[in-house]
Amino acid sequence: MEKERGQFIETWGSLGVLWGINRSMARIHAFIMLCEDPVDLETVCRRLRISRGNASMSLKELRSWGVIHRVHMSGERRDFYVAEPDNWKMIFKIAAQRKEREFDPALQALQDLLGRADLDSSSGVRARLGELERTMTTFDRLARKFLGNEQASRIVVDMLKKFKV
Amino acid sequence: MEKERGQFIETWGSLGVLWGINRSMARIHAFIMLCEDPVDLETVCRRLRISRGNASMSLKELRSWGVIHRVHMSGERRDFYVAEPDNWKMIFKIAAQRKEREFDPALQALQDLLGRADLDSSSGVRARLGELERTMTTFDRLARKFLGNEQASRIVVDMLKKFKV
DNA sequence: TTGATTGTTCAGAAAGGACTGAATGATCAT
DNA sequence: ATGATCATTCAGTCCTTTCTGAACAATCAA
């Protein structure tokens, strides 16, 4: 493994912890990003020195984030994987996933709480929570507008123009 | 502690884990959000049943995120805390902090790596990393444009209009 | 100075997540 | 059907993070 490839993989792995994904997932993602050709599970295990179990789970998870894709090679029984080639799509997919996993449950929980009939509706607490719910709902609509868009890179170009970044 | 207050605190606490902040911090944040008057460390410990050490650290951390503020009450030696009252400001502050803690180090590491003279510059790896660096830099500029703005709620209103959300 | 009050730090205990490797499942060729 | 190949699952182990509580620091009143 050449030097820069290894350095990038370990760096990305350490950063993955900050990103809320674990080290293995981040290292595998980095490795696949840098491969010209599709890679199989066995290769991931051997090159990154991780167990088959871990690699299998991590690949599944990376796929659910939409940052890698499974491809079939003709004449091969094994599964092969490639990274999402469009960087903008990748960033948007990560953002969309994180919103879905982190923000949406919070909004949902808040709405459930406010929807209950059994709560003391005279309380100032309820007013404060209602206010928070409204703000979060608006944020949600705004986020959907951007993240739901398939043409990730085009929308960015639009924004760059509109806001003169 | 009335029912809805308690439920909200525990819900927010569980969600905090998803958000990458820990349960104590999230519970304390929820508690302070729902208090009409400034609260002191002792009250936090007693009402939420957590240790002084934990409360002290968590309050410090919440303050560094900018989602609570320290206030001084006349004639009181103790420190008191209030939540950021503007929900939009709160959301923007969280987003800005997370970008700073999670995205910026990744971009920095990538730039450091590419800046090193000792790397094999003929490699396709370098080209792929360069491409990624350009995309992330653009994203960075775009994010700064929004998150750096003090008038969080106004910018949201602008966007709602422009994008007809 | 002494004691009272309040805030911070940190070593160790407790809790929570990640990783391994063996067992199991699935699919294919013969 | 059998063996070969590859993927997945999960119980147990290992490692990291969080939390506690006691020690320490800082500040004030008397």
Side-chain angles (χ1 to χ4, degrees):
Chain A
M1 171 122 37
E2 70 244 65
K3 198 171 175 186
E4 60 201 334
R5 185 190 296 265
Q7 284 181 342
F8 176 65
I9 289 170
E10 298 315 321
T11 303
W12 211 246
S14 308
L15 290 163
V17 178
L18 301 177
W19 277 72
I21 68 175
N22 65 46
R23 181 175 305 266
S24 294
M25 260 179 75
R27 289 177 76 229
I28 293 173
H29 183 218
F31 177 64
I32 296 179
M33 268 200 284
L34 298 186
C35 289
E36 304 284 339
D37 303 314
V39 284
D40 67 329
L41 189 141
E42 179 55 30
T43 306
V44 169
C45 295
R46 201 179 58 252
R47 298 288 291 277
L48 300 182
R49 309 281 182 85
I50 61 180
S51 70
R52 293 180 69 75
N54 188 2
S56 176
M57 295 291 234
S58 296
L59 287 167
K60 188 180 172 185
E61 186 77 357
L62 284 167
R63 227 149 55 80
S64 88
W65 280 73
V67 296
I68 68 171
H69 307 285
R70 188 153 66 183
V71 294
H72 290 292
M73 307 282 277
S74 61
E76 283 281 6
R77 266 174 65 191
R78 281 169 294 170
D79 293 335
F80 285 81
Y81 300 89
V82 293
E84 164 59 50
D86 181 334
N87 287 324
W88 281 113
K89 259 193 190 162
M90 182 185 84
I91 289 177
F92 270 56
K93 280 184 171 178
I94 291 173
Q97 278 290 322
R98 298 195 76 174
K99 174 188 171 295
E100 191 178 307
R101 292 168 194 228
E102 300 172 11
F103 180 89
D104 293 358
L107 178 54
Q108 184 60 55
L110 198 49
Q111 287 172 341
D112 289 351
L113 185 58
L114 286 166
R116 302 239 183 84
D118 64 336
L119 296 176
D120 173 11
S121 60
S122 69
S123 148
V125 169
R126 174 169 277 264
R128 183 74 182 82
L129 294 180
E131 206 184 290
L132 183 58
E133 193 272 337
R134 280 193 296 282
T135 306
M136 285 176 69
T137 299
T138 304
F139 180 85
D140 184 55
R141 286 212 305 281
L142 207 54
R144 277 175 202 279
K145 180 78 180 178
F146 293 113
L147 300 177
N149 197 301
E150 275 301 306
Q151 304 300 319
S153 55
R154 224 195 41 215
I155 223 177
V156 172
V157 173
D158 281 0
M159 288 177 67
L160 289 172
K161 262 188 256 165
K162 285 196 194 198
F163 290 95
K164 300 182 188 61
V165 175
Chain B
M1 172 125 34
E2 69 246 66
K3 200 172 172 186
E4 59 202 333
R5 186 189 296 263
Q7 284 182 344
F8 176 65
I9 290 170
E10 297 317 319
T11 303
W12 211 246
S14 307
L15 290 163
V17 177
L18 301 177
W19 277 73
I21 68 173
N22 66 45
R23 182 173 304 265
S24 295
M25 260 178 74
R27 290 178 76 229
I28 294 174
H29 182 217
F31 177 64
I32 296 179
M33 269 199 284
L34 297 186
C35 289
E36 305 284 339
D37 303 314
V39 286
D40 68 329
L41 188 140
E42 180 54 29
T43 305
V44 169
C45 295
R46 202 179 59 252
R47 298 289 290 278
L48 300 182
R49 309 281 182 87
I50 61 181
S51 68
R52 294 178 69 78
N54 189 0
S56 176
M57 296 291 234
S58 296
L59 286 168
K60 188 179 172 186
E61 186 78 356
L62 284 167
R63 229 149 55 81
S64 89
W65 281 71
V67 295
I68 68 171
H69 307 286
R70 188 156 61 184
V71 293
H72 290 292
M73 308 282 277
S74 62
E76 282 283 4
R77 262 173 69 192
R78 284 169 292 171
D79 294 336
F80 286 82
Y81 300 90
V82 293
E84 165 59 51
D86 181 334
N87 287 324
W88 282 113
K89 257 193 190 162
M90 182 186 83
I91 290 178
F92 270 57
K93 280 186 170 176
I94 290 173
Q97 278 289 321
R98 297 193 75 173
K99 174 188 170 298
E100 191 179 307
R101 292 168 193 228
E102 301 172 11
F103 180 89
D104 293 358
L107 178 54
Q108 184 60 54
L110 197 49
Q111 287 172 341
D112 288 351
L113 186 58
L114 286 166
R116 302 240 183 82
D118 63 338
L119 296 176
D120 173 11
S121 60
S122 70
S123 150
V125 169
R126 173 168 279 262
R128 181 75 182 82
L129 293 181
E131 206 184 290
L132 182 59
E133 192 272 337
R134 279 193 297 281
T135 306
M136 286 176 69
T137 299
T138 304
F139 180 85
D140 184 55
R141 286 212 305 280
L142 207 53
R144 276 175 203 279
K145 179 77 180 179
F146 293 111
L147 300 177
N149 197 301
E150 275 302 308
Q151 303 301 318
S153 55
R154 224 194 43 216
I155 223 177
V156 172
V157 173
D158 281 359
M159 288 176 67
L160 289 172
K161 261 189 257 166
K162 286 197 193 197
F163 290 96
K164 299 182 189 60
V165 175

